[in-house]
């Protein structure tokens, strides 16, 4: 299960029994590749997310190099431009034994190919392979090597659509001279950089925000290079392996579980393949719904037993099992959110919260919220929202998203924020099953449990922002006051020195006499204007007042 | 009080300086004491606002009310003015001690510094101690009310505007001047009118004319000799010295004071400045205003007649001399009638202004003089004084 870390646990396997042709027919244009603009964007996503999975699941500090180049070709007028997209990482690498299938067989799953199973649409990188061969007729080119391997392997792969089998057009291997490990994928596709440009640049930026531990280099077709250096070596904990919770499976999931399980009885299946189910619970559950504990679960895969299978899924969702475990969720963590926001936006204030796990319909989830305020951030009319689901930036359909709706409903004045304000809000939802709105998976629906948790998280951080703003306001006012008074001290000190001597024995005031009055006045101002800094510490006002006074020059 | 040139300065002057410096020193001593003791310093100053300006009907002058203002250094709204007041006081104090004669313009320049400083964010900031002279002039007024000293008392000079001739002798500085022996010229009333010593005065009344040209005509025509008058002009809006001079003649010799101005709201206002003082500077009225000054003319009724009173001008003369009142004149006249009790409570003034509003016509003194200086000097003025045809 560890391999399914970025998105739903079992989404893709539901297609397992269908052919590629069937799948594509069902979805028409498969999601994410409906036009050249989205396709270019989606290709980058699939490859970059694979690279991130190949690194941070094994706690490798990621190095990712992305490049998009326009292919110069003599083509008829009006033909769409082709792009060569290359993404290279220093991740775990793909063993040569599974390389062809990983890129060339839809719904192939293997415990090694962690990254393929987290793809957004259940197709993962194979969608890229299909799109490339459909638009430019070229194969996907993969170089990879694992740490243990003595060789670097290369393959050029296409998919035999009819039989859903990889077609390797070319392959090669080289003895490794240096200790290189990682994967480099190169693909030629039709695209529209001009239209996709802003979204792709934003996507890479947002990816970098929540991965300050990664070094990311992005070369655009325009020749611009975006470089995001690594600013921390701290990485989030990789998710632990976990089995599905009985409340969280559907018919297709269950079919897949049964197919891959070695359990010989129904009772054994429940105990070994699910979390929160012990022997006692399993027996109690099976007898309550009238299933035979000793039945061979493979029986349920037979076509005539379809009804039984459905009944079992319904029963699983009704029975009161222990709440799902959440330790296989992988939140970003407060430190990484703070670091990411700080390095990208240079705010004057930043904070974040990782809420305790909650669940909806058997799916555990964690909400994380980060906020950055002021500093280099430009004031705008509403908070800038950065949405993430399972560490993937969501860029489209913002206004449809539950997070947007929650932010919109917050009365920011209650938190001393008056728009236009320099406020960025980052919201991350980690879940084994993110309740996306549509097939596009770009926005999250208003699930009540989720909505209330997002609200709690936003309010929690907003309250901290408020207390910062109050302190800041107080401090600034005191500072302004100190300044407004301090600047007059030299003139007043001189005047007092002049007036302090009786007419009959008057002499022009000496610098020492003037200084004496200055010191007295500084004390009076410092005494009156007391400031407690945002950290709760008393500010040395005397020093500050003196600094202003000493800076005064009279012209 | 040192300086090698001191022996050229007359004694009256030196004594005045000494007096003023002492007052300033004593007035500011408590402020200095506060600062030395670490207490936030403040100045308690009578308010110079319109709301704190009251008409004292008994004395017939405008005076400052009882309201006081606490100008605290630590009060952000007052700190700048606090600094300015101290700065101005110090400059005046030093000038007094060092035998200087600053004008208000000099004081403006002496105290005008640019305070350049770095704020707490390190940005360079600039602020002038004061920007325009209007600002420093107001600060001088603060020092005046705070110390109870007038600018003349502090030897602050201003442009001399007032002129006087007549049968009188005065001492100014170390010199005795006979104001009847100045030929066609006249004595320019010095800024420090209180330092003038009246030696002897031989006169029946004081005649104040608004305009310098009319003053010259009357002087050359021998008016003051014939009627034993002291003839004064303030050349338009009178300065403080001229007003103080007139007031002293009235107080010290019990001479009636007659004022002749243009017959329009602006001329009336000048008369009222002699009589009750100006609203802006009500604190000085006590010494500058002459509440019993009489408005001799030119009255509206002199032009148009009223009741049984015959006009001094024939129909054809009137047509020739009167000028159509402007909208501003009319507006100003209505304000006078509405805002000032010493005007609307006086039936004669009400009559004057009502005629004005009805006729919408005004007339300059020169118009009467144009009828012939002899008519003006030897008929119009004496006849009106004799018959009591004036407003007080």
């Amino acid at each position: 299960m560890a391999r399914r870390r970025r998105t739903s646990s079992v989404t893709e396997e539901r297609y397992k029994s269908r052919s590629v042709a069937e799948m594509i027919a069902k979805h028409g244009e498969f999601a994410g590749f409906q036009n050249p603009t989205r396709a270019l964007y989606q290709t980058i996503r699939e490859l970059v997310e694979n690279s991130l999975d190949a690194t941070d699941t094994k706690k490798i500090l990621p190095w990712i190099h992305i490049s998009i180049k326009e292919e110069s070709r003599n083509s008829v007028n009006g033909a769409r431009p082709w792009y060569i997209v290359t993404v290279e990482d220093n991740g775990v690498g793909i063993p040569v034994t599974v390389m062809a299938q990983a890129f060339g067989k839809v719904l192939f799953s293997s415990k090694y190919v962690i990254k393929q199973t987290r793809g957004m649409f259940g197709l993962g990188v194979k969608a890229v392979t299909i799109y490339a061969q459909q638009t430019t007729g070229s194969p996907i080119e993969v170089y990879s090597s694992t740490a243990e391997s003595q060789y670097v392997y290369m393959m050029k792969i296409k998919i035999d659509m009819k039989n859903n089998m990889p077609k390797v057009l070319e392959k090669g291997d080289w003895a490794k001279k240096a200790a290189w490990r990682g994967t480099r994928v190169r693909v030629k596709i039709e695209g529209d950089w001009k239209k996709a440009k802003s979204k792709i640049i934003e996507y890479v930026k947002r990816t970098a925000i929540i991965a300050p531990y990664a070094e990311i280099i992005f070369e655009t077709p325009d020749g611009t290079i975006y470089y995001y250096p690594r600013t921390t070596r701290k990485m989030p904990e990789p998710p632990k392996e976990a089995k599905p919770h009985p409340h969280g499976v559907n018919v297709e999931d269950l079919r897949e579980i049964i197919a891959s399980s070695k359990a010989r009885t129904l009772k054994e299946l429940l105990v070994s393949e699910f979390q929160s189910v012990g022997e006692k619970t399993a027996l109690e559950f099976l007898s309550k719904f009238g299933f035979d504990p000793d039945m061979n679960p493979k029986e349920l895969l037979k076509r005539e037993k379809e009804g039984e299978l459905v009944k079992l899924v319904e029963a699983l969702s009704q029975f009161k099992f222990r709440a799902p475990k959440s330790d296989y969720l992988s939140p970003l963590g407060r430190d990484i959110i703070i670091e990411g926001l700080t390095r990208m936006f240079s705010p004057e204030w930043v904070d974040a919260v990782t809420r305790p796990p909650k669940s909806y319909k058997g799916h555990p989830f964690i909400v994380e919220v980060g906020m950055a305020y002021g500093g280099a951030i430009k004031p705008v009319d509403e908070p800038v929202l950065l949405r993430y689901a399972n560490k993937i930036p969501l860029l489209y359909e913002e206004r449809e998203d539950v997070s947007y709706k929650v932010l919109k409903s917050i009365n920011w004045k209650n938190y001393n924020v008056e728009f236009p304000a320099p406020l960025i809000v980052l919201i991350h939802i980690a879940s084994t099953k993110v309740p996306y709105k549509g097939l596009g998976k770009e926005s999250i629906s208003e699930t009540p449990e989720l909505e209330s948790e997002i609200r709690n998280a936003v309010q929690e951080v907003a309250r901290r922002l408020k207390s910062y703003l109050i302190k800041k306001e107080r401090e600034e006012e005191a500072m302004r006051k100190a300044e407004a008074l301090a600047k007059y001290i030299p003139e007043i000190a001189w005047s007092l020195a002049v007036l302090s001597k009786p007419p009959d024995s008057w002499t022009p005031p000496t610098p020492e006499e003037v200084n004496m009055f200055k010191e007295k006045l500084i004390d009076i101002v410092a005494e009156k204007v007391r400031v407690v800094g945002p950290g709760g510490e008393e500010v040395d006002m005397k020093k500050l007042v003196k600094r202003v006074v000493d800076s005064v020059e009279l012209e | 009080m040192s300086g090698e040139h001191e022996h050229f300065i007359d004694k009256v002057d030196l004594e005045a300086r000494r007096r003023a410096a002492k007052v300033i020193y004593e007035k500011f001593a408590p402020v200095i004491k506060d600062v030395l003791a670490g207490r936030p310093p403040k100045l308690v100053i009578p308010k110079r606002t319109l709301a704190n300006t009251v008409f004292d009907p008994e004395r017939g002058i405008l005076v400052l009310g009882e309201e006081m203002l606490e100008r605290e250094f630590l009060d952000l709204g007052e700190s700048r003015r606090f600094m300015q007041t101290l700065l101005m006081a110090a400059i005046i104090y030093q000038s007094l001690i060092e035998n200087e004669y600053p004008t208000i313009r000099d004081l403006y320049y002496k105290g005008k510094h640019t305070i350049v400083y770095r704020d707490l964010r390190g940005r360079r900031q600039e602020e002038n101690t004061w920007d325009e002279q209007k600002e420093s002039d107001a600060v001088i007024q603060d020092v005046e009310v705070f110390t109870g000293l007038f600018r003349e008392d502090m030897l602050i000079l201003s442009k001399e505007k007032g002129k006087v001739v007549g049968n009188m002798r005065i001492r100014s500085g170390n010199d005795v001047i006979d104001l009847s022996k100045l030929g066609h010229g006249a004595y320019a009333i010095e800024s420090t009118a209180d330092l003038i010593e009246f030696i002897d005065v031989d006169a029946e009344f004081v005649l104040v004319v608004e305009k310098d040209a009319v003053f010259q005509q009357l002087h050359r025509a021998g008016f003051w000799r014939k009627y034993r008058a002291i003839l004064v002009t303030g050349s338009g809006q009178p300065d403080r010295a001229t007003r103080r001079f007139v007031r002293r003649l009235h107080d010290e010799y019990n001479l009636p004071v007659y004022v002749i101005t243009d017959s329009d709201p602006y001329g009336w206002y000048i008369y009222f400045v002699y009589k009750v003082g100006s609203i802006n500077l009500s604190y000085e009225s006590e010494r500058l205003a002459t509440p019993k000054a009489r408005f001799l003319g030119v009255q509206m009724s002199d032009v148009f007649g009223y009741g049984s009173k015959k006009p001094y001008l024939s129909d054809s003369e009137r047509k020739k001399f009167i000028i159509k009142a402007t909208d501003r004149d009319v507006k100003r006249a209505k304000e006078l009638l509405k805002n000032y009790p010493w005007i609307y409570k006086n039936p004669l003034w009400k009559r004057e202004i009502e005629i004005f509003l009805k006729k919408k016509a005004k007339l300059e003194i020169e118009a009467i003089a144009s009828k012939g200086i002899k008519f003006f000097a030897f008929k119009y003025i004496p006849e009106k004084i004799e018959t009591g045809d004036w407003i007080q």
Side-chain angles (χ1 to χ4, degrees):
Chain A
M1 286 298 160
R3 50 195 124 117
R4 298 173 186 133
R5 99 173 233 288
R6 277 193 189 257
T7 176
S8 74
S9 51
V10 275
T11 37
E12 79 184 38
E13 276 84 356
R14 76 176 72 154
Y15 302 117
K16 183 138 192 170
S17 57
R18 299 183 187 152
S19 77
V20 176
E22 245 177 41
M23 206 280 305
I24 290 175
K26 186 178 172 195
H27 295 294
E29 312 266 311
F30 44 107
F33 290 84
Q34 55 267 59
N35 59 54
T37 308
R38 276 304 278 275
L40 187 55
Y41 170 75
Q42 196 62 38
T43 299
I44 295 291
R45 288 190 61 161
E46 295 293 354
L47 298 180
V48 170
E49 281 152 24
N50 277 358
S51 289
L52 280 168
D53 271 351
T55 47
D56 60 9
T57 39
K58 289 283 184 235
K59 272 208 151 178
I60 297 165
L61 287 168
W63 176 91
I64 295 169
H65 183 239
I66 307 157
S67 148
I68 308 175
K69 291 206 161 36
E70 188 170 343
E71 159 118 323
S72 51
R73 60 187 183 121
N74 302 321
S75 62
V76 270
N77 278 348
R80 294 189 192 281
W82 289 359
Y83 294 91
I84 296 164
V85 177
T86 313
V87 175
E88 182 177 342
D89 63 61
N90 62 342
V92 290
I94 304 159
V96 67
T97 49
V98 299
M99 191 185 270
Q101 288 176 312
F103 290 88
K105 182 176 160 78
V106 176
L107 308 180
F108 168 77
S109 69
S110 151
K111 75 176 205 176
Y112 290 107
V113 283
I114 291 159
K115 35 200 177 184
Q116 275 77 17
T117 55
R118 50 130 292 284
M120 280 282 285
F121 304 102
L123 280 169
V125 76
K126 277 124 344 184
V128 177
T129 311
I130 294 169
Y131 182 73
Q133 83 191 45
Q134 278 179 344
T135 57
T136 68
S138 50
I140 192 163
E141 184 187 291
V142 186
Y143 288 80
S144 191
S145 183
T146 57
E148 318 80 56
S149 174
Q150 305 293 307
Y151 296 90
V152 175
Y153 296 95
M154 182 280 281
M155 281 184 188
K156 291 186 179 174
I157 306 158
K158 278 189 172 181
I159 297 179
D160 173 351
M161 298 285 279
K162 219 171 199 170
N163 301 311
N164 186 18
M165 287 299 288
K167 261 197 316 198
V168 178
L169 305 187
E170 215 182 305
K171 61 178 167 183
D173 51 69
W174 295 266
K176 269 204 284 196
K177 290 195 176 103
W180 185 75
R181 175 206 62 214
T183 303
R184 179 171 178 272
V185 179
R186 190 166 171 275
V187 67
K188 190 194 292 180
I189 56 164
E190 192 179 282
D192 190 335
W193 167 251
K194 278 199 187 75
K195 284 192 189 152
K197 181 179 173 175
S198 64
K199 281 279 195 265
I200 293 178
I201 290 170
E202 185 64 20
Y203 167 77
V204 175
K205 182 182 171 187
R206 291 204 187 178
T207 301
I209 290 170
I210 55 158
Y213 48 85
E215 181 178 2
I216 301 174
I217 302 149
F218 172 33
E219 286 179 66
T220 71
D222 313 325
T224 311
I225 295 174
Y226 293 87
Y227 176 56
Y228 298 103
R230 177 177 298 131
T231 59
T232 177
R233 300 181 69 84
K234 189 183 155 92
M235 292 182 71
E237 283 304 311
K240 293 194 182 103
E241 291 192 13
K243 298 165 188 165
H245 189 274
H247 286 172
V249 293
N250 60 27
V251 178
E252 300 300 332
D253 297 336
L254 188 55
R255 204 195 296 281
E256 160 64 14
I257 290 166
I258 293 168
S260 60
S261 175
K262 287 178 185 140
R264 278 166 303 181
T265 65
L266 210 46
K267 188 191 86 183
E268 212 179 309
L269 181 90
L270 290 177
V271 173
S272 62
E273 302 296 335
F274 289 91
Q275 58 165 286
S276 310
V277 188
E279 290 222 6
K280 203 179 140 213
T281 311
L283 285 173
E284 193 187 325
F285 164 74
L286 290 169
S287 70
K288 183 173 178 190
F289 290 94
F291 289 99
D292 174 10
D294 298 322
M295 174 189 181
N296 182 349
K298 296 275 196 281
E299 286 287 306
L300 290 169
L301 296 180
K302 290 178 180 160
R303 201 169 279 276
E304 66 269 21
K305 295 279 190 180
E306 176 94 23
E308 283 285 289
L309 191 69
V310 172
K311 209 184 124 196
L312 179 57
V313 169
E314 281 169 359
L316 284 170
S317 69
Q318 282 170 31
F319 190 77
K320 266 199 123 181
F321 293 98
R322 280 198 309 275
K325 283 195 262 181
S326 59
D327 53 359
Y328 53 107
L329 293 175
S330 174
L332 296 161
R334 180 169 179 262
D335 293 352
I336 283 174
I337 297 175
I338 288 174
E339 173 62 27
L341 289 172
T342 304
R343 82 90 166 261
M344 195 62 74
F345 301 108
S346 307
E348 60 177 67
W349 177 90
V350 62
D351 207 345
V353 64
T354 300
R355 298 278 301 176
K358 295 269 154 98
S359 70
Y360 76 95
K361 295 183 190 161
H363 308 290
F365 67 92
I366 288 177
V367 171
E368 296 180 288
V369 166
M371 284 187 201
Y373 184 92
I377 302 169
K378 298 229 158 49
V380 282
D381 288 332
E382 57 177 25
V384 173
L385 171 59
L386 307 176
R387 293 175 296 140
Y388 296 88
N390 286 336
K391 299 183 186 168
I392 298 171
L394 304 181
L395 267 71
Y396 289 91
E397 299 170 15
E398 180 183 87
R399 271 147 208 268
E400 306 303 313
D401 199 284
V402 59
S403 295
Y404 181 83
K405 290 185 178 166
V406 170
L407 281 199
K408 198 80 189 157
S409 73
I410 298 277
N411 186 355
W412 290 98
K413 280 186 186 159
N414 292 346
Y415 299 97
N416 291 31
V417 179
E418 293 260 10
F419 283 94
L423 177 63
I424 291 172
V425 180
L426 181 154
I427 300 181
H428 178 225
I429 291 153
S431 177
T432 45
K433 193 174 182 71
V434 176
Y436 288 110
K437 259 195 170 156
L439 214 59
K441 297 195 173 176
E442 283 289 354
S443 62
I444 299 170
S445 58
E446 288 111 275
T447 316
E449 296 90 338
L450 199 56
E451 189 174 335
S452 109
E453 212 25 40
I454 292 171
R455 188 179 304 283
N456 289 341
V458 168
Q459 286 172 342
E460 187 176 339
V461 186
R463 276 194 297 272
R464 293 185 211 159
L465 174 60
K466 179 183 181 170
S467 80
Y468 168 77
L469 291 174
I470 289 171
K471 278 181 191 145
K472 184 186 164 198
E473 177 67 28
R474 270 197 222 125
E475 190 191 349
E476 276 183 349
E477 205 192 304
M479 292 284 192
R480 271 197 301 275
K481 184 162 184 182
E483 217 170 81
L485 298 173
K487 67 188 172 193
Y488 297 138
I489 286 181
E491 288 282 4
I492 297 174
W494 178 84
S495 305
L496 290 173
V498 167
L499 292 165
S500 67
K501 302 196 211 187
D504 296 327
S505 56
W506 193 87
T507 50
T510 62
E512 291 73 34
E513 287 166 336
V514 175
N515 273 334
M516 191 268 294
F517 280 107
K518 266 192 200 171
E519 294 296 329
K520 291 281 180 194
L521 289 165
I522 289 170
D523 285 343
I524 288 169
V525 172
E527 177 64 25
K528 171 81 181 179
V529 189
R530 283 234 169 118
V531 182
V532 176
E537 72 288 349
E538 179 113 0
V539 175
D540 184 353
M541 282 316 286
K542 193 170 166 181
K543 209 169 108 193
L544 292 180
V545 173
K546 200 163 156 38
R547 198 165 88 202
V548 175
V549 172
D550 288 345
S551 79
V552 171
E553 286 168 39
L554 299 175
E555 288 179 357
Chain B
M1 296 285 175
S2 59
E4 49 179 314
H5 306 296
E6 198 176 303
H7 57 277
F8 291 116
I9 302 169
D10 61 76
K11 228 176 110 191
V12 178
D13 210 296
L14 287 175
E15 268 167 17
R17 284 174 183 285
R18 217 162 263 139
R19 267 198 312 272
K22 191 160 173 275
V23 170
I24 294 176
Y25 175 72
E26 283 166 2
K27 268 290 193 179
F28 282 93
V31 181
I32 287 157
K33 210 173 144 193
D34 278 345
V35 172
L36 292 178
R39 284 190 297 267
K42 65 180 177 196
L43 301 167
V44 182
I45 306 176
K47 274 195 190 165
R48 287 195 292 107
T49 56
L50 191 59
N52 194 36
T53 301
V54 289
F55 181 67
D56 180 345
E58 234 162 75
R59 290 188 292 170
I61 54 172
L62 284 170
V63 290
L64 279 187
E66 304 279 294
E67 282 178 57
M68 299 298 262
L69 158 79
E70 290 208 346
R71 181 162 295 159
E72 288 181 61
F73 170 49
L74 291 184
D75 176 349
L76 280 195
E78 296 282 351
S79 55
R80 176 175 163 85
R81 204 58 186 265
F82 179 88
M83 175 275 293
Q84 291 175 331
T85 313
L86 278 169
L87 177 62
M88 184 57 87
I91 293 170
I92 294 171
Y93 186 63
Q94 193 176 9
S95 300
L96 283 169
I97 289 164
E98 295 185 334
N99 290 328
E100 296 199 25
Y101 299 92
T103 62
I104 54 175
R105 185 105 187 124
D106 293 335
L107 293 173
Y108 163 68
Y109 281 121
K110 271 195 168 183
K112 184 174 182 281
H113 311 144
T114 302
I115 302 171
V116 183
Y117 66 100
R118 301 244 159 220
D119 67 16
L120 290 170
R121 287 199 168 81
R123 289 173 303 207
R124 188 177 183 276
Q125 304 279 3
E126 280 189 22
E127 185 178 321
N128 288 340
T129 44
W130 40 67
D131 293 307
E132 295 168 31
Q133 196 187 325
K134 236 169 70 185
E135 212 179 342
S136 65
D137 286 355
V139 178
I140 293 171
Q141 290 170 11
D142 285 344
V143 175
E144 288 182 290
V145 292
F146 179 67
T147 58
L149 293 167
F150 289 127
R151 58 191 66 179
E152 301 79 18
D153 300 332
M154 300 185 278
L155 281 294
I156 297 165
L157 306 184
S158 45
K159 185 177 183 286
E160 291 166 352
K161 277 180 87 188
K163 283 155 76 173
V164 55
V165 285
N167 259 326
M168 64 185 289
R169 288 188 308 140
I170 61 168
R171 193 193 314 276
S172 171
N174 293 330
D175 302 318
V176 173
I177 303 160
D178 187 337
L179 301 192
S180 67
K181 293 197 167 112
L182 297 169
H184 293 152
Y187 174 71
I189 301 168
E190 62 180 75
S191 299
T192 49
D194 273 309
L195 300 189
I196 296 171
E197 184 191 336
F198 293 161
I199 298 171
D200 50 51
V201 176
D202 175 21
E204 297 277 326
F205 62 92
V206 178
L207 181 70
V208 179
V209 292
E210 174 188 344
K211 288 175 168 166
D212 181 57
V214 180
F215 171 89
Q216 289 183 47
Q217 289 169 329
L218 290 174
H219 181 18
R220 289 185 183 233
F223 172 86
W224 60 268
R225 280 191 207 279
K226 180 162 183 191
Y227 296 105
R228 292 178 58 231
I230 305 292
L231 187 61
V232 175
T233 182
S235 310
Q237 184 71 255
D239 64 8
R240 300 154 59 104
T242 309
R243 291 157 60 200
R244 179 65 187 150
F245 191 89
V246 170
R247 162 73 178 270
R248 284 188 59 199
L249 283 173
H250 177 265
D251 278 9
E252 291 166 36
Y253 294 90
N254 206 16
L255 297 177
V257 173
Y258 299 98
V259 181
I260 298 186
T261 72
D262 283 346
S263 189
D264 61 25
Y266 187 70
W268 302 334
Y269 184 75
I270 287 176
Y271 160 71
F272 282 113
V273 169
Y274 283 105
K275 180 182 162 73
V276 293
S278 72
I279 302 237
N280 303 337
L281 302 169
S282 57
Y283 64 95
E284 1 159 278
S285 299
E286 208 149 326
R287 284 168 66 187
L288 303 185
T290 309
K292 288 190 174 149
R294 295 158 176 175
F295 180 67
L296 193 66
V298 176
Q299 297 179 28
M300 281 288 152
S301 55
D302 297 341
V303 182
F304 296 102
Y306 185 83
S308 60
K309 181 177 167 179
K310 281 187 188 149
Y312 281 93
L313 297 179
S314 66
D315 284 355
S316 63
E317 284 167 339
R318 192 156 57 225
K319 268 178 198 145
K320 205 164 123 195
F321 296 140
I322 61 169
I323 307 168
K324 197 175 177 304
T326 63
D327 291 346
R328 254 187 81 193
D329 289 330
V330 172
K331 196 179 155 226
R332 185 95 185 95
K334 284 179 179 163
E335 275 170 19
L336 290 175
L337 206 52
K338 192 178 137 209
N339 296 340
Y340 305 109
W342 57 92
I343 294 175
Y344 63 69
K345 281 190 180 158
N346 184 326
L348 291 176
W349 270 115
K350 259 185 95 171
R351 180 193 75 191
E352 278 295 299
I353 295 172
E354 275 159 7
I355 297 173
F356 170 81
L357 289 174
K358 194 172 144 205
K359 301 284 185 187
K360 294 209 166 39
K362 59 184 183 179
L363 189 119
E364 295 186 308
I365 322 173
E366 283 94 329
I368 298 274
S370 300
K371 195 176 149 90
I373 191 67
K374 287 200 181 77
F375 161 76
F376 183 58
F378 304 117
K379 177 168 167 65
Y380 176 79
I381 298 172
E383 192 176 292
K384 281 178 68 74
I385 292 175
E386 216 162 287
T387 59
D389 186 12
W390 35 259
I391 308 172
Q392 185 179 307

